[in-house]
Amino acid sequence: ALGVAIIVMLGAAKLDQLIEMLNFNYSISLLMEYAAFLKLRFTRPDMERPYQIPLNNYWCCVFMMPAILLTVFLMLLATYTTLAFAVVVNIIGFAMFYCRSKKGTRVMGRKASKSMMNGSVSLSLVPTASTDHLHSASSSIATKQSSDNNVSDSSI
């Protein structure tokens, strides 16, 4: 019902207003990503990551500053309609998140714990039993290819 109401409301808007509203909300999500990146760099520097940017904290801040400033500048150009839309949509979104977290919603197919709801979820990239066979198969292929190369080199 809420989705239908939002679609009807957005359908009444002009295309340029609709694009501005969506980009404004996307900018909010970008600022939240930048904040999370910087917070984790400072508060949890030893946390295992799939990729670590090879800069120290100072240079990460310098590197992020133009993107943050340009995003805020573009957000300041928004109309009052866009600001009102963003406030309403984000209040609804946070209220829905709060209500669902109190009910004990499911996160990634399992019941969410209190730590998941507080944002302290850590995902492990360790291979599971279902992917172990892929690793062993690829290593046996690599071993066979290297032994084939050695045979062909010795026969020349």
Side-chain angles (χ1 to χ4, degrees), residues 6 11 14 16 22 31 35 56 76 88 95 101-102 145:
I6 290 174
K14 296 178 185 172
D16 58 341
L22 294 175
L31 290 176
N56 63 20
L76 292 174
V88 169
S101 67
K102 289 296 181 187
Q145 287 176 348

Side-chain angles (χ1 to χ4, degrees), residues 24 32 45 74 122 134 142 153:
F24 189 87
M32 289 171 39
L74 289 175
S122 62
L134 297 175
D153 290 342

